[in-house]
Amino acid sequence: MKAFKLRWLVLVALAVLSIGFVQAGISLGQEALFLRSVEVEGELPVTDPASLSWEEANEVTVPLSGQTLALPNRPQPFANSVQVRTLHNGTHIVFRVSWPDATQDNRTTGLSEFRDATALLLASSDLPGICMGSRGQRVHIVQWKADWQADIEEGFHDLQDTFPNFWVDLYPFAVGDPPYRLPEAFPEGARDLLVGWAVGNPFSEPLKITAVEDAVAEGFGSITTQERQDALGRGVWANGRWSVTIARQLNTGDPQDQSLGLGGRYNFALAVWDGSSGDVGARKSVSSWITLDIPGPPPFAALDILVPVVLIILAAMAAYLLIRSTWQRRKRD
Amino acid sequence: MPTVRNWQLGREMDYIYDESRPDRQVSSVFDINKCIACQTCTMSCKAIWTSGKGQEYMFWNSVETKPWGSYPLGWDVKILDMLGPQRWDTSGPSAVYEGKTVFEAAPEGERVLGYLPENEDYANPNRGEDETSEPIDPSKFHLQDLHAIWNFYLARICMHCTYPACLASCPRKAIYKRKEDGIVLIDQERCRGYRECVRACPYKRVLYNHVTRISEKCIFCYPAVEKGIWPRCMRNCIGKIRMVGYISPPGEADPENPIDYLVYVKKLALPLYPQLGLEPNIYYVPPIHVPPEFNRQMFGPGADEAVETYKRIRTGQEPELRAILLLNTSTNKILTKFRLEGDEAVGFDVNGQEAVRVMLVEKEIVRPYRDDTVGVYRHNIT
Ligand code: SF4
Ligand code: SF4
């Protein structure tokens, strides 16, 4: 009976202690990765990865591995790690992802051209850490694409931009003269043979409004562009490195987005694609889940401190009881 | 990985999904011996489906001159080379493929063995047209260099495979096979331009649109098929080489169904590169003047026998086969049944109604040289 009580006490003490440690951000066995969004006043560097404001954010180095859960695979990661920072101003949040890449791949016109890209996954912290979510467990994805940005900044990268010697006299119903550029030479009725565009596929849209696709997924292969696009961002490629910002409102009001709030804690992961390695879709480098903290004003801040304190007190009490019972037993023996 | 039955291999094989045959499967037989490489099929398809911007070098139908021609460049030699030499066991009553399919040979981490062609590979759809190969009878010809003297024309469209590699490779299931007719389509809203299908289809029948930046493929003119009418490339064929119908599932062959009769009963029509493992649904009557090894590599171990059967038709020994070939030169309706009635062949459409009736042997009437009623000589008397 006494031995039973003793064992029970030991278990309680260990459990309480470990919960306390995890809560305090020190996991047992391996170091958990935390990304804490730093609050700044005023405007955020939404489209400026080089802004001085980034100095205020902590840099977290996130290790990458090859995507090997779903077919096709990318057995080895493209880069060993990426650097991530995040800032928020109480209403909006911005992330900056930066990674080494010797080539700038921002075209997808040719058959063997694939884009450089990065995506952030945001999910509620009670979700089990399943890559890309699972049925009924939705993750919110924002993906920045180098070719979408090039289309916006330089104009739609048309056929003649990749194949300058192409000459076609006529396309059905196109207006104007060769080379019949998109979108102006193809008014409404002339789009039927540009089927992706005609049916509204965002990848086929020549006039893009953002380089960041706002999407949802419930498992591998299920990524779907959202009706409402709420994310912005911009990448800069310099000295063999991409630095990419991705920004959105904390609370977008779109039920398809993962709503973020001050004092909230979320599951966060990211992926990187290298176009010239043929990365596309599941051929990507991925991080494991990271905890994203968006610290905010009390009462949440108070709670953040209160919970570990209470747990530590509980653990201390359990330890005291344990020691006392051992001591009493020894005394009786 | 699930195991499925591929009757063309005579065995089970690995496939990424369970066996799920459609309620009906469209199918077509191309008689290679009749193709004249006029490219009318190619252009009739291009005119309606692929004349948009971004589709300049996209041909859902192409006709290549074998052995040298190919579209995209080297598609068949490349995949055969990647697969390596493979064997058929022909000792039993029906041949069994002992080698690996593109699914079974998939490298670690991949769904299908394949490769992504280059832009330029599509730039010469007519390459090798009318180039000849070895002389059939060396004694008659002086030229004996690389350009030998046999060749044939291989008209190709998407095979609307029973086990499509394109569908298997798409990680987002944007490709689907219609339950009602087995036509394989790419959902133009779901496709994100990954090009996994372009990489995986060994026949290279999925093509990338350079402007919409997603993939496209032959749709077997499903709006026509839904009305019981042949796809456009088939209707417009000048050589009348094409026949359209529905093929029954293996083991349920209906000898009155023209396609079943050609494929299962007489084994005259053979799949193209069956060893790849897709169970393609476009069948070919192999060319009868080509080295048998070449035919066997392309159409499997049944090629020699099919050539012999075809020769018998020409000598009048196969009236049913002759009936099917004739009926299909005389209609653009999908025939589901055929019958011999005396010296006539009759074909029935998808509603079971008589759609076409032809004589097995055209009557020959010889008229006198001089037409006395009008007092002239005739140029043509038969
Ligand atoms: S031929 Fe190619 S594109 Fe057509 S169904 Fe088969 S695998 Fe798909
Ligand atoms: S239309 Fe008929 S004969 Fe002409 S190339 Fe095409 S398949 Fe051959």
Side-chain angles (χ1 to χ4, degrees):
Chain A
M1 185 69 206
K2 266 183 228 142
F4 172 77
K5 196 171 157 193
L6 189 69
R7 238 177 280 143
W8 184 84
L9 274 170
V10 171
L11 278 176
V12 169
L14 277 176
V16 170
L17 271 172
S18 59
I19 292 169
F21 279 135
V22 170
Q23 187 70 21
I26 312 152
S27 96
L28 296 172
Q30 100 189 57
E31 207 183 317
L33 225 40
F34 275 88
L35 181 64
R36 200 173 286 263
S37 191
V38 172
E39 182 160 12
V40 290
E41 296 272 302
E43 263 182 45
L44 292 175
V46 169
T47 54
D48 185 5
S51 161
L52 284 177
S53 315
W54 289 110
E55 297 298 320
E56 305 197 25
N58 314 324
E59 181 162 280
V60 176
T61 297
V62 177
L64 293 179
S65 52
Q67 189 290 114
T68 52
L69 289 176
L71 291 175
N73 277 188
R74 188 193 215 291
Q76 297 301 324
F78 164 63
N80 290 329
S81 60
V82 293
Q83 273 67 47
V84 189
R85 296 178 189 221
T86 161
L87 297 168
H88 77 91
N89 65 2
T91 60
H92 292 72
I93 186 163
V94 57
F95 299 87
R96 188 185 78 176
V97 186
S98 152
W99 70 97
D101 184 346
T103 53
Q104 182 187 24
D105 305 309
N106 59 3
R107 304 291 180 220
T108 46
T109 306
L111 176 56
S112 45
E113 287 177 318
F114 294 95
R115 69 176 68 85
D116 289 336
T118 182
L120 311 182
L121 269 76
L122 294 160
S124 142
S125 58
D126 11 289
L127 261 193
I130 296 172
C131 190
M132 297 294 286
S134 59
R135 189 162 289 191
Q137 295 186 316
R138 179 176 285 185
V139 294
H140 175 205
I141 297 173
V142 275
Q143 189 193 41
W144 170 87
K145 299 174 181 68
D147 59 329
W148 285 24
Q149 177 173 317
D151 279 344
I152 293 169
E153 295 187 347
E154 299 161 28
F156 178 68
H157 193 81
D158 212 328
L159 194 72
Q160 279 70 20
D161 302 319
T162 290
F163 306 101
N165 296 325
F166 250 66
W167 181 268
V168 173
D169 295 330
L170 184 76
Y171 294 106
F173 310 114
V175 294
D177 297 306
Y180 302 103
R181 288 202 161 264
L182 263 74
E184 53 290 355
F186 295 85
E188 204 65 55
R191 291 179 197 172
D192 290 354
L193 284 166
L194 293 140
V195 182
W197 187 19
V199 301
N201 187 323
F203 287 80
S204 308
E205 174 56 60
L207 286 182
K208 299 177 179 72
I209 36 172
T210 169
V212 181
E213 179 195 4
D214 204 357
V216 284
E218 287 193 6
F220 276 107
S222 69
I223 187 168
T224 305
T225 314
Q226 295 183 13
E227 289 276 303
R228 237 183 81 177
Q229 294 294 304
D230 295 301
L232 287 174
R234 187 163 166 268
V236 171
W237 183 82
N239 307 321
R241 247 191 123 70
W242 272 115
S243 288
V244 176
T245 61
I246 295 179
R248 48 161 277 191
Q249 269 181 297
L250 285 170
N251 182 5
T252 58
D254 180 353
Q256 295 200 309
D257 291 343
Q258 172 62 49
S259 169
L260 303 174
L262 298 182
R265 175 164 280 197
Y266 306 91
N267 273 338
F268 171 92
L270 56 83
V272 171
W273 288 261
D274 173 43
S276 43
S277 317
D279 283 0
V280 67
R283 301 175 194 270
K284 61 187 172 185
S285 308
V286 293
S287 77
S288 49
W289 285 101
I290 301 161
T291 303
L292 168 69
D293 263 342
I294 307 177
F300 303 104
L303 210 67
D304 259 6
I305 300 165
L306 213 62
V307 174
V309 166
V310 169
L311 285 172
I312 287 167
I313 291 170
L314 277 174
M317 277 166 64
Y320 166 73
L321 286 172
L322 179 71
I323 293 162
R324 201 182 67 166
S325 76
T326 318
W327 179 74
Q328 279 174 349
R329 211 179 63 199
R330 277 228 191 98
K331 212 165 95 178
R332 268 203 306 275
D333 293 345
Chain B
M1 196 180 279
T3 308
V4 296
R5 176 82 193 165
N6 182 329
W7 77 270
Q8 296 173 353
L9 304 183
R11 67 167 172 87
E12 317 257 284
M13 64 162 205
D14 293 345
Y15 186 63
I16 194 147
Y17 300 115
D18 288 325
E19 184 164 340
S20 167
R21 289 179 185 269
D23 300 337
R24 283 211 291 195
Q25 173 64 58
V26 286
S27 178
S28 185
V29 172
F30 292 8
D31 180 354
I32 290 180
N33 298 289
K34 291 173 23 187
C35 180
I36 54 171
C38 63
Q39 305 281 6
T40 311
C41 47
T42 308
M43 294 321 291
S44 66
C45 173
K46 185 125 196 84
I48 40 169
W49 300 124
T50 64
S51 47
K53 196 167 193 192
Q55 298 177 312
E56 290 73 7
Y57 279 83
M58 184 188 289
F59 292 95
W60 291 353
N61 182 108
S62 60
V63 183
E64 47 204 52
T65 302
K66 285 293 171 204
W68 306 117
S70 51
Y71 167 84
L73 200 69
W75 67 272
D76 49 357
V77 285
K78 277 186 194 156
I79 192 66
L80 292 177
D81 203 36
M82 287 173 80
L83 207 54
Q86 309 284 329
R87 297 199 73 80
W88 288 86
D89 175 2
T90 51
S91 58
S94 52
V96 178
Y97 180 56
E98 288 183 329
K100 286 192 164 171
T101 66
V102 290
F103 306 110
E104 293 160 346
E108 183 77 29
E110 298 287 333
R111 292 171 179 229
V112 181
L113 176 76
Y115 74 95
L116 195 64
E118 303 287 329
N119 293 323
E120 294 73 19
D121 292 348
Y122 296 85
N124 301 287
N126 243 1
R127 181 188 169 274
E129 177 145 321
D130 294 337
E131 271 179 49
T132 50
S133 191
E134 253 171 19
I136 305 157
D137 176 358
S139 63
K140 289 184 195 156
F141 302 98
H142 296 299
L143 292 173
Q144 297 259 348
D145 62 1
L146 279 178
H147 301 277
I149 307 184
W150 65 268
N151 72 9
F152 66 94
Y153 307 118
L154 182 69
R156 302 201 299 120
I157 64 168
C158 162
M159 307 281 182
H160 297 278
C161 307
T162 305
Y163 303 114
C166 59
L167 183 151
S169 71
C170 179
R172 35 189 296 96
K173 301 194 180 99
I175 303 183
Y176 59 105
K177 187 168 174 67
R178 305 210 309 179
K179 210 63 192 155
E180 61 269 38
D181 50 24
I183 294 175
V184 176
L185 298 175
I186 302 178
D187 183 335
Q188 293 288 292
E189 284 183 60
R190 272 191 71 72
C191 177
R192 289 169 71 90
Y194 292 171
R195 288 155 270 177
E196 295 293 348
C197 51
V198 182
R199 197 190 298 255
C201 170
Y203 302 104
K204 295 291 173 252
R205 292 331 295 196
V206 187
L207 300 113
Y208 186 59
N209 184 314
H210 300 292
V211 169
T212 62
R213 301 176 187 171
I214 55 176
S215 301
E216 299 178 346
K217 67 180 285 301
C218 159
I219 59 170
F220 207 82
C221 293
Y222 67 82
V225 168
E226 286 169 3
K227 294 199 168 90
I229 297 180
W230 291 12
R232 201 178 197 215
C233 58
M234 320 263 186
R235 290 204 298 276
N236 284 275
C237 176
I238 300 295
K240 302 274 187 191
I241 83 156
R242 301 181 178 207
M243 295 156 253
V244 187
Y246 291 97
I247 187 166
S248 304
E252 297 172 27
D254 169 7
E256 286 188 25
N257 171 339
I259 301 285
D260 284 4
Y261 194 78
L262 292 169
V263 173
Y264 295 128
V265 179
K266 285 290 173 175
K267 301 185 170 58
L268 173 69
L270 304 170
L272 176 65
Y273 294 119
Q275 65 267 43
L276 302 173
L278 285 69
E279 211 190 286
N281 286 302
I282 306 293
Y283 290 85
Y284 290 87
V285 177
I288 58 172
H289 62 291
V290 160
E293 320 77 76
F294 196 86
N295 262 351
R296 269 179 244 138
Q297 169 177 278
M298 204 170 234
F299 304 106
D304 296 15
E305 218 182 293
V307 167
E308 290 315 312
T309 308
Y310 194 77
K311 287 181 179 163
R312 281 203 302 279
I313 308 176
R314 310 215 307 176
T315 56
Q317 297 174 63
E318 297 279 357
E320 288 85 2
L321 289 176
R322 176 176 281 189
I324 294 171
L325 298 190
L326 285 174
L327 285 170
N328 280 293
T329 62
S330 314
T331 184
N332 60 17
K333 296 214 178 89
I334 296 178
L335 299 184
T336 54
K337 294 233 182 267
F338 82 103
R339 222 175 17 234
L340 272 180
E341 287 181 6
D343 55 0
E344 286 181 334
V346 194
F348 301 89
D349 66 13
V350 286
N351 302 314
Q353 301 294 316
E354 180 178 323
V356 55
R357 181 178 287 263
V358 291
M359 281 188 286
L360 270 192
V361 180
E362 196 74 38
K363 281 204 182 97
E364 195 182 56
I365 297 167
V366 182
R367 299 179 295 173
Y369 268 120
R370 186 174 163 82
D371 184 344
D372 286 333
T373 53
V374 286
V376 294
Y377 285 97
R378 293 186 171 110
H379 289 282
N380 191 340
I381 58 161
T382 54

